[in-house]
Amino acid sequence: MSGAADPAIRMQGVSKSYRLVRDRPMSVKEAVVRRSQRRLVEEFWALQDIDLEVPRGSFVGLIGHNGSGKSTLLKLLSGIHRQTTGTITVDGRLSALLELGAGFHPELTGRENIYLNGAILGMSRRQMTGAVSEIVEFSGIGDFVDAPVRVYSSGMYVRLGFAIAVHVNPEILLVDEVIAVGDEDFQRKCLDHMAELRRQGVTIVLVSHDLDQVRDLCDRVAWIDRSLLVEVGDPDLVCDRYLASIHGEG
Amino acid sequence: MRTVSEPQSGGPISQVKRGLALSRAYLPLTFNFAQRELKVQHKRSALGWAWSLLNPLSRVFVYSLVFGVIFRFQPPEGGSGQLNFAMYLFSGLIVWLLFESMIRGAMQWLISVGDLRRKVYFPLETVAFGGAAAVGFQAFIEALVLLAFMTAYGNVGWTLVLLPVVLLFAAMFGLGIGMVMAVFNTRYRDVENLVVILLSTTFFLVPIVYTEEIIPDEAYGLPAADLIGANPISQFVGTARDVVYFLEWPSVARLALLASYAFGSLGFGWWFLNRRSMALSEEM
């Protein structure tokens, strides 16, 4: 068993490269016809040599420009993609809200998707039944819960996705910048709820472009720039340096 | 719950261990996929579940009409002295339908889950096993109908207890092949079209609508009867027919052979899917 002193997340020398294949053949015929021609394969390093520890119960903000590698980092942590090198240790039940819509199947109703997501996170049907009313209540989607998810507005998608992610008793919660899609009220509600989860000891990693939010909520901030981890530390300090770098460049 | 992830997935033994641990942890999800498959199958249809029976029954009817009535194939005598082409046909067709649904299903399940897998992590095997469970349920109902037929004709015996075993082996054999095809199909959608053609060809190369006896020993210089007989699917079909129609016990060697096909195919398919799983999630 792990002691309380162990970090919730530990990344050691983690790098991730994607292979960008220009004009990948989409059918067997193309693949055969193109055999002779040279295919252009480019390696793109989304993250390089990241060492990062997230202490248990902490609230860590990830900041950086678009395309700097923040979302890739969350994808590696949640296991959607696998790192090219390095080791990632995740200690605890992890729930993630990454892209718009979380893990929804468009043809299923909201309610069926709630059960599906619960099952993905390893919760039994009985455990989920208890959580359904809370999820519906929190998301505010009302009667739409029994309509197929494909008819939802983007706001409803995110609201339901967030509600599920926080109601499956996660020990570690990863949230990408998706909550920015919701309206002011809902964003406020999400932030309040994350603060509450944090009080309960949940470890949270949040990607955000709103530096005021980050200063307000987080106790540590990691700044990623062009696939490299630039700095980790006190929110005010890191945010100020980040801002200075932006103004310096501009 | 502590998970350590490394770039490589380790040796075969650690992979199997991890696979088994995972399959237990993801049992609720597998069950959910199975339920979903059953639910979605007959959504927005008036007859609903009746379709699961109408499809195999219509095939039994059409093939019996064409091959039994028009071509006048004489089926061999059944275990209780009956001569019935429809029963002879159905006892082999049930294996084929299961095999076919596993392969075609596997390709569709993997495609349908692609969007989900890009946003949240779960092992891809879960959708394959969930779908397989749904197909297995369908086969179970078909088997009940087959047994009802056999009972009505008085063609029953203790060998029938082996039918579930033969069907299970055939399902595992089909699922393993399906997993491999499904992986290729996520990359090249042509695979599905190709597989459909191969399946409809193979169907006629297996003694389902005709009897083994009428296959010529040699055709175009090839040992036709031996080739068709050596086909694993022919052996599954033949064994199902032995236990259901002829009411004969298959040899232990025959069962061992079917088991090795089943475990070999599923083992390879599972391993292959697992190995390609991470790359697939980035490609899908």
Side-chain angles (χ1 to χ4, degrees), chain A residues 2 16 18 24-28 31 78-92 99-100 102-105 107-108 112 115-116 119-120 123 125 150, chain B residues 1-9 18 25-26 28-29 32-33 35-36 39-40 43-44 112 115-122 187-191 278 281-283:
Chain A
S2 49
K16 174 67 188 172
Y18 290 102
R24 193 161 67 80
M26 291 307 285
S27 69
V28 173
S78 60
I80 296 177
H81 292 177
R82 185 172 289 158
Q83 69 271 26
T84 314
T85 63
T87 307
I88 298 175
T89 310
V90 173
D91 197 353
E99 284 171 71
L100 181 66
F104 287 158
H105 191 282
E107 283 300 319
L108 296 179
E112 288 164 337
Y115 282 105
L116 177 63
I120 288 175
M123 295 186 69
R125 213 177 160 78
R150 67 184 146 81
Chain B
M1 191 173 90
R2 183 193 186 98
T3 52
V4 179
S5 105
E6 307 272 357
Q8 274 86 33
S9 21
R18 216 174 44 131
Y26 281 96
L29 179 62
N32 192 296
F33 278 131
Q35 264 183 328
R36 189 182 91 180
K39 211 185 269 177
V40 170
K43 233 174 192 172
R44 300 193 205 176
S112 76
D115 214 35
L116 195 61
R117 184 59 181 75
R118 252 185 282 120
K119 290 166 183 165
V120 54
Y121 172 76
F122 57 90
R187 187 147 212 190
Y188 303 114
R189 296 296 151 89
D190 313 51
V191 172
M278 288 321 277
S281 72
E282 289 171 22
E283 277 171 17

Side-chain angles (χ1 to χ4, degrees), chain A residues 3 13 37 41-42 61 66 68 71 76 93 103 113 140 156 166 171 174 181 210:
Chain A
Q37 295 174 25
V41 181
E42 279 176 34
N66 283 329
S68 57
S71 294
L76 295 184
R93 243 164 78 93
N113 269 300
M156 289 163 76
V166 296
E171 288 164 330
L174 310 179
V181 175
D210 185 337

Side-chain angles (χ1 to χ4, degrees), chain B residues 51-66:
Chain B
W51 284 116
S52 343
L53 286 181
L54 282 174
N55 179 37
L57 288 181
S58 71
R59 285 177 79 166
V60 171
F61 176 74
V62 171
Y63 294 142
S64 300
L65 189 71
V66 174

